[in-house]
Amino acid sequence: MARSTKVRFKGKPSEILEPIEFEGYTIKSLRHGVTGHVLYSYPSQEYEWEDCWGMDLETAKKSVLKFKEAQQVQSSQA
């Protein structure tokens, strides 16, 4: 007969960090409670400019620049 064991969660709550302003766009950031990694929220071209989370700030900044360019192209075509 198998014993039922109680599993305890060993992580902490995620911590919301100060947002980063870059080129007029606010990049949200947080420290993950389980892994301790810092994550950044930024628009992703891969997901049709929906926000996604990643661990690299430089990638976030590049994506913001691409997002701004796409907005400018779209507004000039309208």
Side-chain angles (χ1 to χ4, degrees):
M1 181 176 220
R3 279 186 173 176
S4 64
T5 58
K6 206 172 207 180
V7 177
R8 301 192 81 190
F9 179 68
K10 296 180 182 175
K12 303 175 198 170
S14 294
E15 174 188 355
I16 297 173
L17 304 174
E18 286 292 316
I20 300 166
E21 282 291 325
F22 179 73
E23 297 286 326
Y25 188 88
T26 303
I27 300 173
K28 298 178 218 163
S29 60
L30 65 84
R31 183 173 310 279
H32 194 273
V34 176
T35 63
H37 293 139
V38 176
L39 302 173
Y40 304 98
S41 174
Y42 54 90
S44 174
Q45 185 176 12
E46 191 174 331
Y47 300 107
E48 299 177 8
W49 302 119
E50 298 244 347
D51 280 353
C52 71
W53 291 90
M55 293 186 346
D56 186 22
L57 181 57
E58 291 305 311
T59 302
K61 288 180 178 180
K62 288 176 188 174
S63 288
V64 167
L65 291 174
K66 287 181 186 176
F67 176 66
K68 292 280 191 181
E69 288 174 13
Q71 279 186 325
Q72 288 175 353
V73 168
Q74 186 179 15
S75 65
S76 69
Q77 289 178 353

